[in-house]
Amino acid sequence: MNNKLIFMALAAAGCLAACSSPSTEVTSPDGKIKFAVDNKADGLCYSVTDAGTSIVSPSRLGFVLQGNDSVARFDVLNSVMSSHDETWETVWGESREVRDHYNQLTIEMRQKGGNEMLVNLEVRVFDDGFGYRYVFPQQGDSLVIMEELTEFIVPAASEAWAMTNHDVYYEDYYRRKPIAELDTVHTPVTIEAPGDKYLAIHEANLTDYPKMQLIGEEGGKMRARLVPWSTGVAAYVVTPFATPWRTMIIGGTPGDLVTSYMMLNLNEPCAVEDASWCKPMKYIGVWWEMHLGNGTWYAGPNHGANTANVKKYIDFAAEHGIPGVLVEGWNVGWEGHWPANDHFDFTKPYPDFDIKEITDYAAEKGVTLVGHHETAAWTKNYENQLDTAFKFYTDHGVHNVKTGYVNLLMDGKEDHSSQYGVRHYRKVVETAAANKVNIDNHEPVMPTGIQRTWPNLMTQEGVRGQEHCAWDNDGGNPPEHTVLMPFTRGLAGPMDYTFGTFNYDNPVYPFARVRTTLAKELALYVIIYSPMQMASDTPENYSAHPDAFQFIKDVPVDWEKTLVPDAVIGDYVVTVRLDRNSSDWYLGAATDEDARELNVALDFLEPGAEYTAQIYADAPDADWETNPTAYTVTEQTVKSTDTLPLKLAAGGGTAIRFIKK
Ligand code: NOJ
C-alpha cells in the first residue's frame, strides 16, 4: 500500500489523531510566538517564546475545586489544531476593520484522580499575543471552583504598571514596580520586559465568572486570584462552561499594546441583530457643577437637575451640535448619605424636574437626554425595576443611560468584581439591549471586550477619572496619569474619563484641581478613547473660550484607524486617528509634568495630498500649574512628507485637526 492509501485507511477508521501523539505546541501565523504545553507528572504548565526569547517560562495551569482534588494533573486524551483568518467590521471603535488571525490548539484532558473531570485547554496564538481558556465539556453536576491555579512567569527583571485591588472601583493610580513587589493587583497589568518587550496581561469575555486578579511573587511570577463571593467560593459553574480567556499582548513598542485588538477577537460576535441604534456620541451634562460643589444631586435651593437649568444645557448643546445632555440627581433618593439608600426610585422625578417638558424641549432642538441610574450598588432594588426603569426613559425618547454603583459592596455583601457582580452587570446590558438603550457604566467590573457582543455597552468608568480633580484630598490626578492611562486601563476598553476642563478655579474645594493645560484637555479627546465622550465643563466656561471649544465640537468619537507613532509610558504619548466618516486625521500629543519638544512625522497622511492643520497648542508661557489656560490656535498647510515640531508645556499637550484640501 502506498502512503496515500495508508492515510485514507487510517482516516476512514477515524483514528488519525488517536494514533499519533497529541500536539502540545502552537505558533502564531507569522511563526514568531510559540506557545508550548508541558504535561508534567506534578501538573500542567505552559511556556511562551517570541522569536526565540522567553516571554513566559513554565507556568502552572489548573484549578482547585470544592470536594475534588486539586485539578492540575491530567492525562492528555487528544489534541486538535485549527487556524482562522477573518476580517470583521466593528459597529464602532478605534478601527473599522479588525483582522482575527490565529492558530488554535485544543488539548482535551481528563483529570488524574479526583472525579476524573474532563477539561479542554483552548489556546489561540495571534501575531500580537495569545489567549487561552479552560473549557469544561458537559458532565455531572455543577462545579464549585475555589481557586484557579493559572500563573504567568515573565522574565524576572521585568517591571509592571499595575493598580492594587484596594479600590473596588478601579479608581486608584497605576504604579510601576518590580513584579515581586506587586501586591494583589487588578488586570490589565502592563509589563516592560528586558529587550524592549511590552506585555499586557488581562482577560477577554468575562462572562458568569469572577474577575481575575494577580499576585506578584519572586522570579517574575504572577499567580491568579479570583474575586470570591462572600462565601469564599470563587465560581459556581454549570457545564458545559468556558472560562474567560487569559490573555497577553506582546509588542515591541508601547503603541503596539494600544493598537492590538486581540481582546475583541476573543469575544463573541455582535449579538444585536441591527445595531444601528448603538451610536457613538458626545455629551455635556448637569454634572461638573455638582462635583465642584456648586449644585446638589438632592432637591433644594441648589438642585442641579431643575427644569430651567437642564434647558440651559439643552440650549447650549443645540447651539453647538452636541447630541446629548446628561442629567444626574433627577430622581427621588439622593437625600442624606445616599449610598445607604436601598430604595432609589427610577421612575419618580423630583418635582422641579419636569421630564416631559424637558424631553419634548430637547427633541424639538435635536438633542437627547443621557439618563442616569445611580443604584448605590443595591442591585436587587435595581433589578426589580430594570424593565420599567428603561421603559420610563425610552417612553421619553431617552436611549442612553449612565449607571452607577457607588458602594463598597453590592447589596451590602458581594464584591463588584465577583461572579455575583459580573452576572448583574451583564443582566443590565442585555436588558438595556432589549430596550434599545446604550449604557455608560460607572463603578463597573473592569471591561474585557464584551462591547463586541453587546455594542450598547458603549463606555465604562473603572478609572480614576476627572471627577477626582474636582474634590480629591490628594489634589487631583497628577499630569502623568493621563499619559499612563492609554497603556494600562485603556487596554481594557473605552473609558468615560470625562475631560474637557476650561476653567481651573475651584472655590469650594480649593485644594483640588485639574492638573493639565487647556490644550492638553483637547488632546485627550484623541488620546483616550471612548465612543461616548463628555465635554464635562459648564456652558459658561466653554463660552469663555469659543475658539478652543471648536476642537471639542469637531473631534469625532468613531474612528477608521488608530496609530500611536510615539510614546514612553507615563512620560508622553502621541496618538493619531482617522475619522470614520471623513478624510480628516486628528492628532493628540500630551506630556507628564515635564515640558517636552517632539517631532512628529506626518507619514500617516495620504501621500500627495495637502491638509490644513488646525493646531491647538500650549502658548509659550503655558504651564499646568501657573498658567493652564494659555493656548494658541494656528493654521498651516502640511503634507505626508513633513515633520511637525510640537512644543508641549509642563503638563501640556497639542491637539490637531488635519483637514484634507
Ligand atoms: C460616581 C460617578 O463616577 C459620577 O460620575 C457620578 O456623578 C456620581 N457617582 C453620582 O452618581
Side-chain angles (χ1 to χ4, degrees), residues 564-595:
V564 181
D566 196 7
V568 172
I569 300 177
D571 288 352
Y572 70 91
V573 54
V574 181
T575 305
V576 295
R577 303 188 196 260
L578 173 61
D579 180 14
R580 200 177 275 210
N581 300 304
S582 78
S583 48
D584 293 354
W585 280 88
Y586 286 77
L587 177 149
T591 179
D592 59 2
E593 64 288 350
D594 294 326

Side-chain angles (χ1 to χ4, degrees), residues 268-310:
E268 298 300 321
C270 185
V272 178
E273 208 171 304
D274 172 8
S276 53
W277 52 272
C278 302
K279 277 207 176 63
M281 71 188 295
K282 277 175 270 189
Y283 67 102
I284 56 170
V286 181
W287 183 77
W288 189 234
E289 59 182 70
M290 273 110 78
H291 280 273
L292 289 179
N294 296 330
T296 63
W297 279 268
Y298 56 88
N302 290 324
H303 186 212
N306 70 76
T307 303
N309 194 32
V310 176

Side-chain angles (χ1 to χ4, degrees), residues 171 287 291 297 328 334 338 372 374 402 406 442-443 461 467:
E171 293 185 24
W287 183 77
H291 280 273
W297 279 268
E328 295 197 359
W334 288 90
W338 54 265
H372 186 227
E374 175 54 67
K402 170 175 168 180
V406 177
H442 277 226
E443 298 82 33
E461 192 183 37
E467 65 192 35

Side-chain angles (χ1 to χ4, degrees), residues 466 482-483 497 499-500 516 519-529 533 551 588-590 654-655:
Q466 193 94 320
T482 39
V483 292
Y497 190 94
F499 26 77
T516 64
K520 178 169 170 180
E521 288 293 295
L522 301 180
L524 293 177
Y525 284 89
V526 184
I527 294 168
I528 293 186
Y529 171 66
Q533 202 70 280
F551 185 81
T654 303

Side-chain angles (χ1 to χ4, degrees), residues 152 159-168 170 172-191 200-203 211-217 220-227 417 446 488:
F152 298 85
E159 296 207 331
W161 289 268
M163 190 206 302
T164 68
N165 71 344
H166 301 155
D167 192 319
V168 300
Y170 309 99
D172 208 340
Y173 295 117
Y174 287 78
R175 313 225 184 251
R176 183 179 172 137
K177 289 183 178 167
I179 303 292
E181 287 174 29
L182 296 181
D183 203 337
T184 304
V185 293
H186 296 298
T187 66
V189 171
T190 300
I191 296 161
I201 302 175
H202 189 41
E203 58 185 322
K211 161 112 196 65
M212 176 182 73
Q213 300 173 333
L214 294 174
I215 302 170
E217 292 182 3
K221 185 197 279 192
M222 283 161 278
R223 63 185 170 84
R225 170 183 187 263
L226 300 178
V227 178
S417 301
M446 184 59 79
T488 50

